Amino acid sequence: DGGITQSPKYLFRKEGQNVTLSCEQNLNHDAMYWYRQDPGQGLRLIYYSQIVNDFQKGDIAEGYSVSREKKESFPLTVTSAQKNPTAFYLCASQTGNNEQFFGPGTRLTVL
Amino acid sequence: AQKITQTQPGMFVQEKEAVTLDCTYDTSDPSYGLFWYKQPSSGEMIFLIYQGSYDQQNATEGRYSLNFQKARKSANLVISASQLGDSAMYFCAMRGLGIYNQGGKLIFGQGTELSVKP
């Protein structure tokens, strides 16, 4: 089946550690996105990539890094510089001008 | 700057009745798209309906329709014949189109939690 997969579903991190969230899509979409969602809030854009080997900062990029070495993959690293990383992280991909398809999300908790 | 406002933090509706979820937006882009997503408790975002700013008719998708009033900058979602499975968070979102696309970035509202009563 075509779609977007994110792993892991739940992730626990100690303070000071970097962690990487996986996002893979087999939809052959050029554009991919990472959003952050805090409880009771809408989604905010962290990073996006419109093409392989290129990515742009979104509204809340500080403390995060990404790479886009393959069209199918857009991993997000939450670094120790991110002051409040506990949140729900959603990856999305898009082709054309309309619908963004979302993955199932990763819930990150800092212990 | 673009902004989406959803003024209803929570809504209740009786099963089989219709419900309207409010969404107002602000943008200076002449060409834009409006989206509604459903987020069940499991967390995934499910696309429901899309309306382009130049579309002459209101969008409909099954039990979902979008009441688009461009002059008032509103894009309300109407769910007809509510079902228990409709209980979820609903998000209104917006994006510029064409040269205003900004990489496809979506701007989201705060969401409305809908509860359907049996």
Side-chain angles (χ1 to χ4, degrees):
Chain A
D1 285 353
I4 301 176
T5 57
Q6 290 186 242
S7 61
K9 187 172 182 178
Y10 298 96
L11 185 58
F12 298 90
R13 190 196 93 173
K14 293 182 180 179
E15 284 194 25
Q17 284 183 335
N18 292 356
V19 289
T20 297
L21 283 58
S22 169
C23 177
E24 304 279 332
Q25 55 101 358
N26 60 4
L27 300 167
N28 200 34
H29 288 172
D30 291 311
M32 296 186 74
Y33 307 82
W34 274 106
Y35 292 91
R36 169 182 171 140
Q37 186 179 28
D38 293 287
Q41 303 292 316
L43 280 65
R44 292 181 291 166
L45 183 66
I46 305 172
Y47 266 98
Y48 66 99
S49 168
Q50 293 182 277
I51 197 168
V52 174
N53 292 323
D54 185 63
F55 48 82
Q56 306 294 330
K57 291 182 179 180
D59 297 321
I60 54 166
E62 186 176 351
Y64 299 98
S65 66
V66 293
S67 63
R68 187 82 187 278
E69 297 176 2
K70 299 186 299 182
K71 189 175 187 177
E72 303 79 21
S73 179
F74 191 41
L76 174 74
T77 297
V78 185
T79 75
S80 57
Q82 168 51 234
K83 300 302 181 190
N84 186 21
T86 294
F88 188 52
Y89 291 86
L90 285 155
C91 178
S93 71
Q94 175 187 303
T95 188
N97 215 18
N98 294 343
E99 180 182 351
Q100 279 189 12
F101 294 84
F102 284 82
T106 292
R107 201 167 296 277
L108 173 64
T109 302
V110 174
L111 303 174
Chain B
Q2 295 177 325
K3 186 178 180 181
I4 293 281
T5 303
Q6 294 180 253
T7 58
Q8 305 155 314
M11 289 279 288
F12 289 92
V13 64
Q14 203 69 36
E15 192 179 7
K16 300 180 184 177
E17 291 185 351
V19 63
T20 298
L21 306 183
D22 295 340
C23 172
T24 58
Y25 61 90
D26 192 18
T27 182
S28 56
D29 296 336
S31 180
Y32 52 90
L34 295 154
F35 304 77
W36 277 92
Y37 284 86
K38 172 183 178 181
Q39 187 179 42
S41 57
S42 55
E44 77 268 30
M45 297 288 282
I46 302 168
F47 168 76
L48 296 178
I49 196 166
Y50 165 81
Q51 177 86 43
S53 59
Y54 287 106
D55 293 339
Q56 295 297 316
Q57 292 190 324
N58 286 346
T60 60
E61 289 286 348
R63 293 186 300 111
Y64 304 107
S65 60
L66 201 153
N67 184 1
F68 181 47
Q69 297 187 46
K70 194 171 182 178
R72 298 180 62 182
K73 294 190 173 180
S74 75
N76 298 340
L77 177 70
V78 180
I79 306 175
S80 63
S82 297
Q83 302 172 356
L84 296 178
D86 293 336
S87 294
M89 283 290 287
Y90 288 81
F91 290 95
C92 181
M94 175 174 64
R95 178 173 69 232
L97 301 178
I99 62 172
Y100 308 96
N101 185 264
Q102 294 186 63
K105 168 184 171 180
L106 279 172
I107 304 297
F108 284 83
Q110 300 278 65
T112 295
E113 184 169 8
L114 178 66
S115 298
V116 180
K117 295 182 175 181

